[in-house]
Amino acid sequence: MLSLWVGREEEAAAPWIAAIEAAGLQSRACPLISIEPLQPDARGREAVERLERYDWAFFTSATAVRRCVELRASRPWPAALGLAAVGPGTAAALEES
């Protein structure tokens, strides 16, 4: 039987695996990346404070958006900062922030 691998961590892969298996195929998670949160320490806070220096911030996941917002303590994004998102889920997270 054909088996499809989902290149995400187990938790993020679960909805995809469920849909694939509902279609009658086998599926497994095969994480291709590891997501580690930006730590709420001096280094993490410094990283988000530096956003003021840049023209653009590119986000590749909704998780990245949420972590950055948490470290910014819900302050608004810098007025001159352009925000870019990869994918509709990330774009929705940016719009909610």
Side-chain angles (χ1 to χ4, degrees), residues 43-86:
R43 185 174 173 204
R45 286 189 301 277
E46 179 184 335
V48 296
E49 291 303 322
R50 281 185 287 185
L51 289 175
E52 310 285 343
R53 301 180 193 171
Y54 297 100
D55 295 324
W56 285 91
F58 292 84
F59 292 91
T60 58
S61 72
T63 301
V65 173
R66 285 190 296 275
R67 297 281 192 242
C68 192
V69 168
E70 288 169 6
L71 286 176
R72 290 190 59 77
S74 299
R75 288 178 292 144
W77 297 105
L81 182 68
L83 299 172
V86 176

